[in-house]
Amino acid sequence: MRRKLIAGNWKMNGSMAALAELDAIGATAATTPGVDVAVAVPATLIASAAQRVRGLSVGAQDVHQGECGAHTGCVSAAMVREAGARFSIVGHSERRADQGESDAHVRGKAEAAHAAGLQVILCVGETLDDRDAGRAEAVVTAQLAASLPTHAEGEWLAVAYEPIWAIGTGRTPTVADVAAIHGALRAKLRDLLGEEADAIRLLYGGSVNDANAAELLGADDVDGALVGGASLTATKFVPIIEAAARIAS
Ligand code: PGA
C-alpha cells in the first residue's frame, strides 16, 4: 500500500511572512500521520522554512544537474540539501518550457538530486494539442521513459502527471482520463523497472483544489497530488491534506 503524498509547489511566490502559512500547514500535517506532506518553496526560503516548520518536508522546485561550477544563477542539489531541503521537483512543465529543459536534463537533475540525498518528484505532462490529437498517453509515457533516472526506486522517487493545459487554469481532466494516464504510467514503469515500479508513487497535478481533491485522489493509481495555487495558504491546502487522510484511513 503506497502512502498518499500531498506536495505543494509555491513556484515564484512567497516571502518570509508567508512562512506563517507553512506553520499552519505543518500543524495539520503533524496530526495526519497517514499522509506525507511536502512543500517546494522558492530557494530563498528553504533554509528558514526547514529550520522553523514542523510536520512537513521542505523542498526545492528545481536543482542543476551538475555538482558545482560556472552556472550563474543556478543551485545544486547539495546546496539545497545543505539548506534543509529533503526533496526537489524536477522537470516541471514551466521549466521545460521557460528554460528549455529536455528529458535528458531532467534525468540528469533527478540523478543529481538522488546523489545528494534528496527525494525527487519528476513531472511529465502533455499539451492541449497532444490531448486533442489523442496522443496524451504516448507523449507522457515517452517523457517518463526518457527522463527516468537510473536506479529509480519508490523510496526516493515519485512521478507527477501534470497535463500542461490543466495547470493554473481551473480545468482538470476527468477522473477516468487521470486513471487511464496513471495506469499507462504504471505499466511503463513496470516495463522499465519490474516489481520496483509498484513502490513508486504517482501524483496528479493541475488545478487540484478542495472541491475536486477527494474525487481525484480516489482514482485508481493516484497516490497523491502536486498542488500549485491551492498550496499557498493553509485555508486552501489543509482541506486537500484532509481529503487524502480520509481516503488513506
Ligand atoms: P496548479 O499548479 O495547482 O496551480 O494548477 C500545479 C503545478 O504546476 O504543479
Side-chain angles (χ1 to χ4, degrees):
M1 188 58 181
R2 295 178 292 269
R3 283 168 62 81
K4 293 273 193 244
L5 168 60
I6 303 298
N9 173 12
W10 278 16
K11 309 191 179 184
M12 201 168 73
N13 299 292
S15 58
M16 288 297 288
L19 294 184
E21 298 292 338
L22 269 196
D23 291 335
I25 293 164
T28 296
T31 60
T32 49
V35 179
D36 293 335
V37 179
V39 179
V41 296
T44 50
L45 294 179
I46 291 172
S48 307
Q51 276 163 31
R52 99 178 221 177
V53 180
R54 298 284 163 265
L56 57 76
S57 168
V58 171
Q61 299 169 13
D62 176 60
V63 291
H64 194 272
Q65 57 272 33
E67 274 178 41
C68 60
H71 303 289
T72 303
C74 298
V75 291
S76 73
M79 288 171 183
V80 300
R81 179 76 180 80
E82 187 178 44
R86 291 289 171 269
F87 76 98
S88 182
I89 296 171
V90 299
H92 191 283
S93 59
E94 286 155 14
R95 292 203 59 87
R96 288 180 186 259
D98 297 355
Q99 265 71 37
E101 292 182 1
S102 65
D103 289 328
H105 286 127
V106 174
R107 189 176 64 239
K109 286 164 183 272
E111 288 170 356
H114 177 51
L118 297 172
Q119 302 205 323
V120 172
I121 298 175
L122 166 63
C123 303
V124 296
E126 84 281 4
T127 63
L128 193 54
D129 280 354
D130 292 331
R131 161 96 14 207
D132 289 344
R135 36 169 205 262
E137 209 174 288
V139 165
V140 299
T141 52
Q143 267 179 6
L144 177 64
S147 46
L148 195 70
T150 50
H151 310 302
E153 290 173 341
E155 227 169 87
W156 59 273
L157 180 71
V159 173
Y161 167 53
E162 297 208 306
I164 295 168
W165 52 274
I167 295 176
T169 59
R171 293 179 58 194
T172 54
T174 64
V175 171
D177 285 343
V178 171
I181 296 282
H182 280 227
L185 290 171
R186 181 75 63 203
K188 176 57 82 177
L189 286 173
R190 283 194 187 123
D191 282 354
L192 296 168
L193 303 173
E195 276 179 19
E196 186 56 41
D198 290 348
I200 294 179
R201 290 185 281 197
L202 297 180
L203 316 182
Y204 168 76
S207 296
V208 176
N209 58 38
D210 57 346
N212 62 24
E215 199 185 15
L216 290 164
L217 290 166
D220 282 350
D221 255 319
V222 175
D223 306 310
L226 181 55
V227 184
S231 71
L232 292 172
T233 61
T235 317
K236 291 191 170 154
F237 199 43
V238 162
I240 299 171
I241 299 168
E242 289 172 344
R246 278 194 295 278
I247 291 167
S249 67

